[in-house]
mmCIF file of all heavy atoms in Angstrom:
data_model
loop_
_atom_site.group_PDB
_atom_site.id
_atom_site.type_symbol
_atom_site.label_atom_id
_atom_site.label_comp_id
_atom_site.label_asym_id
_atom_site.label_seq_id
_atom_site.Cartn_x
_atom_site.Cartn_y
_atom_site.Cartn_z
ATOM 1 N N ILE D 22 -29.898 -44.278 28.624
ATOM 2 C CA ILE D 22 -28.666 -43.932 27.885
ATOM 3 C C ILE D 22 -28.511 -42.378 27.842
ATOM 4 O O ILE D 22 -29.492 -41.703 27.411
ATOM 5 C CB ILE D 22 -28.631 -44.459 26.471
ATOM 6 C CG1 ILE D 22 -28.739 -46.019 26.447
ATOM 7 C CG2 ILE D 22 -27.385 -44.043 25.721
ATOM 8 C CD1 ILE D 22 -28.702 -46.678 25.134
ATOM 9 N N LEU D 32 -26.037 -36.895 17.780
ATOM 10 C CA LEU D 32 -27.343 -37.077 17.107
ATOM 11 C C LEU D 32 -27.629 -38.461 16.654
ATOM 12 O O LEU D 32 -28.679 -39.090 16.825
ATOM 13 C CB LEU D 32 -27.459 -35.990 16.089
ATOM 14 C CG LEU D 32 -27.576 -34.586 16.494
ATOM 15 C CD1 LEU D 32 -27.415 -33.646 15.322
ATOM 16 C CD2 LEU D 32 -28.857 -34.260 17.252
ATOM 17 N N ARG D 50 -24.724 -28.386 25.626
ATOM 18 C CA ARG D 50 -24.553 -27.045 26.271
ATOM 19 C C ARG D 50 -25.033 -25.896 25.455
ATOM 20 O O ARG D 50 -25.266 -24.805 25.913
ATOM 21 C CB ARG D 50 -23.130 -26.861 26.725
ATOM 22 C CG ARG D 50 -22.194 -26.679 25.514
ATOM 23 C CD ARG D 50 -20.778 -26.450 26.037
ATOM 24 N NE ARG D 50 -19.855 -26.461 24.879
ATOM 25 C CZ ARG D 50 -18.586 -26.708 24.993
ATOM 26 N NH1 ARG D 50 -18.057 -26.888 26.160
ATOM 27 N NH2 ARG D 50 -17.827 -26.686 23.938
ATOM 28 N N PHE D 66 -19.144 -33.448 1.866
ATOM 29 C CA PHE D 66 -18.698 -34.614 1.108
ATOM 30 C C PHE D 66 -19.292 -35.888 1.652
ATOM 31 O O PHE D 66 -20.131 -35.850 2.572
ATOM 32 C CB PHE D 66 -17.138 -34.718 1.180
ATOM 33 C CG PHE D 66 -16.505 -33.502 0.592
ATOM 34 C CD1 PHE D 66 -16.180 -32.373 1.360
ATOM 35 C CD2 PHE D 66 -16.254 -33.461 -0.772
ATOM 36 C CE1 PHE D 66 -15.503 -31.291 0.778
ATOM 37 C CE2 PHE D 66 -15.723 -32.306 -1.272
ATOM 38 C CZ PHE D 66 -15.315 -31.209 -0.532
ATOM 39 N N GLY D 67 -18.792 -37.033 1.122
ATOM 40 C CA GLY D 67 -19.315 -38.244 1.598
ATOM 41 C C GLY D 67 -20.221 -38.904 0.529
ATOM 42 O O GLY D 67 -20.120 -38.526 -0.640
ATOM 43 N N TYR D 72 -25.534 -37.894 4.025
ATOM 44 C CA TYR D 72 -26.050 -36.644 3.557
ATOM 45 C C TYR D 72 -25.059 -35.848 2.738
ATOM 46 O O TYR D 72 -24.956 -34.611 2.883
ATOM 47 C CB TYR D 72 -26.548 -35.797 4.718
ATOM 48 C CG TYR D 72 -27.597 -36.446 5.595
ATOM 49 C CD1 TYR D 72 -27.226 -37.178 6.678
ATOM 50 C CD2 TYR D 72 -28.888 -36.484 5.243
ATOM 51 C CE1 TYR D 72 -28.150 -37.877 7.489
ATOM 52 C CE2 TYR D 72 -29.907 -37.089 5.983
ATOM 53 C CZ TYR D 72 -29.514 -37.799 7.087
ATOM 54 O OH TYR D 72 -30.412 -38.413 7.912
ATOM 55 N N ILE D 114 -24.743 -31.892 35.930
ATOM 56 C CA ILE D 114 -25.033 -31.108 34.805
ATOM 57 C C ILE D 114 -25.500 -29.677 35.269
ATOM 58 O O ILE D 114 -26.323 -29.578 36.178
ATOM 59 C CB ILE D 114 -26.252 -31.773 34.026
ATOM 60 C CG1 ILE D 114 -25.954 -33.223 33.815
ATOM 61 C CG2 ILE D 114 -26.529 -30.954 32.756
ATOM 62 C CD1 ILE D 114 -27.128 -33.916 33.213
ATOM 63 N N LYS D 119 -27.258 -21.514 36.115
ATOM 64 C CA LYS D 119 -26.784 -22.065 37.458
ATOM 65 C C LYS D 119 -27.721 -22.933 38.190
ATOM 66 O O LYS D 119 -27.815 -22.962 39.383
ATOM 67 C CB LYS D 119 -26.306 -20.919 38.354
ATOM 68 C CG LYS D 119 -25.217 -20.193 37.739
ATOM 69 C CD LYS D 119 -24.720 -19.021 38.547
ATOM 70 C CE LYS D 119 -23.676 -18.221 37.698
ATOM 71 N NZ LYS D 119 -24.260 -17.606 36.489
ATOM 72 N N ILE D 129 -23.513 -44.412 29.027
ATOM 73 C CA ILE D 129 -23.160 -43.026 28.601
ATOM 74 C C ILE D 129 -22.382 -43.022 27.293
ATOM 75 O O ILE D 129 -21.532 -43.821 27.123
ATOM 76 C CB ILE D 129 -22.235 -42.331 29.677
ATOM 77 C CG1 ILE D 129 -22.952 -42.195 30.961
ATOM 78 C CG2 ILE D 129 -21.787 -40.947 29.145
ATOM 79 C CD1 ILE D 129 -22.172 -41.688 32.171
ATOM 80 N N ASN D 178 -8.659 -28.090 6.092
ATOM 81 C CA ASN D 178 -9.969 -27.905 5.595
ATOM 82 C C ASN D 178 -10.650 -26.725 6.365
ATOM 83 O O ASN D 178 -11.326 -25.959 5.781
ATOM 84 C CB ASN D 178 -10.751 -29.202 5.787
ATOM 85 C CG ASN D 178 -10.677 -30.065 4.595
ATOM 86 O OD1 ASN D 178 -10.276 -29.600 3.472
ATOM 87 N ND2 ASN D 178 -10.867 -31.321 4.756
ATOM 88 N N ILE D 182 -12.158 -23.557 4.500
ATOM 89 C CA ILE D 182 -13.544 -23.391 4.445
ATOM 90 C C ILE D 182 -13.984 -22.075 5.183
ATOM 91 O O ILE D 182 -14.852 -21.332 4.706
ATOM 92 C CB ILE D 182 -14.316 -24.594 5.115
ATOM 93 C CG1 ILE D 182 -14.116 -25.905 4.246
ATOM 94 C CG2 ILE D 182 -15.776 -24.304 5.325
ATOM 95 C CD1 ILE D 182 -14.543 -27.110 4.914
ATOM 96 N N GLY D 191 -18.880 -11.329 3.103
ATOM 97 C CA GLY D 191 -18.428 -10.015 2.663
ATOM 98 C C GLY D 191 -17.179 -9.494 3.370
ATOM 99 O O GLY D 191 -16.883 -8.355 3.288
ATOM 100 N N VAL D 214 -11.101 -21.104 -2.950
ATOM 101 C CA VAL D 214 -10.666 -19.773 -2.430
ATOM 102 C C VAL D 214 -9.651 -19.167 -3.311
ATOM 103 O O VAL D 214 -9.604 -17.955 -3.435
ATOM 104 C CB VAL D 214 -10.104 -19.817 -0.996
ATOM 105 C CG1 VAL D 214 -11.305 -20.083 0.021
ATOM 106 C CG2 VAL D 214 -9.054 -20.938 -0.792
ATOM 107 N N ILE D 244 4.286 -11.933 8.961
ATOM 108 C CA ILE D 244 4.593 -13.363 8.781
ATOM 109 C C ILE D 244 5.973 -13.559 8.238
ATOM 110 O O ILE D 244 6.500 -12.553 7.682
ATOM 111 C CB ILE D 244 3.548 -14.054 7.864
ATOM 112 C CG1 ILE D 244 3.592 -13.494 6.394
ATOM 113 C CG2 ILE D 244 2.147 -13.937 8.411
ATOM 114 C CD1 ILE D 244 2.850 -14.330 5.424
ATOM 115 N N VAL D 265 -8.347 -8.690 11.913
ATOM 116 C CA VAL D 265 -8.623 -10.004 12.411
ATOM 117 C C VAL D 265 -7.630 -10.998 12.033
ATOM 118 O O VAL D 265 -7.162 -11.002 10.812
ATOM 119 C CB VAL D 265 -10.009 -10.593 11.893
ATOM 120 C CG1 VAL D 265 -10.328 -11.930 12.441
ATOM 121 C CG2 VAL D 265 -11.138 -9.608 12.452
ATOM 122 N N LEU D 272 -7.569 -29.159 15.948
ATOM 123 C CA LEU D 272 -8.412 -29.367 17.049
ATOM 124 C C LEU D 272 -7.853 -30.408 18.018
ATOM 125 O O LEU D 272 -7.064 -31.221 17.481
ATOM 126 C CB LEU D 272 -9.741 -29.800 16.569
ATOM 127 C CG LEU D 272 -10.470 -28.962 15.569
ATOM 128 C CD1 LEU D 272 -11.815 -29.592 15.023
ATOM 129 C CD2 LEU D 272 -10.887 -27.550 16.216
ATOM 130 N N GLU D 277 -12.468 -34.078 28.780
ATOM 131 C CA GLU D 277 -12.472 -34.015 30.267
ATOM 132 C C GLU D 277 -13.292 -35.050 31.022
ATOM 133 O O GLU D 277 -12.854 -35.644 32.018
ATOM 134 C CB GLU D 277 -13.066 -32.601 30.664
ATOM 135 C CG GLU D 277 -12.180 -31.853 31.535
ATOM 136 C CD GLU D 277 -12.128 -30.372 31.038
ATOM 137 O OE1 GLU D 277 -11.384 -30.106 30.088
ATOM 138 O OE2 GLU D 277 -12.870 -29.500 31.587
ATOM 139 N N GLU D 291 -1.837 -38.247 15.425
ATOM 140 C CA GLU D 291 -2.701 -38.373 14.204
ATOM 141 C C GLU D 291 -4.196 -38.177 14.493
ATOM 142 O O GLU D 291 -4.980 -37.785 13.593
ATOM 143 C CB GLU D 291 -2.537 -39.771 13.605
ATOM 144 C CG GLU D 291 -1.144 -39.939 12.873
ATOM 145 C CD GLU D 291 -0.157 -40.457 13.851
ATOM 146 O OE1 GLU D 291 -0.406 -40.493 15.106
ATOM 147 O OE2 GLU D 291 1.056 -40.752 13.443
ATOM 148 N N SER D 339 -26.297 -53.504 24.601
ATOM 149 C CA SER D 339 -25.763 -53.978 25.812
ATOM 150 C C SER D 339 -26.825 -53.927 27.024
ATOM 151 O O SER D 339 -26.684 -54.540 28.053
ATOM 152 C CB SER D 339 -24.547 -53.256 26.331
ATOM 153 O OG SER D 339 -24.926 -51.948 26.794
#
Side-chain angles (χ1 to χ4, degrees):
Chain D
I22 299 179
L32 292 169
R50 65 177 172 202
F66 296 94
Y72 302 94
I114 310 171
K119 301 180 186 63
I129 297 173
N178 274 336
I182 293 170
V214 287
I244 64 168
V265 176
L272 304 173
E277 234 134 281
E291 288 85 355
S339 75

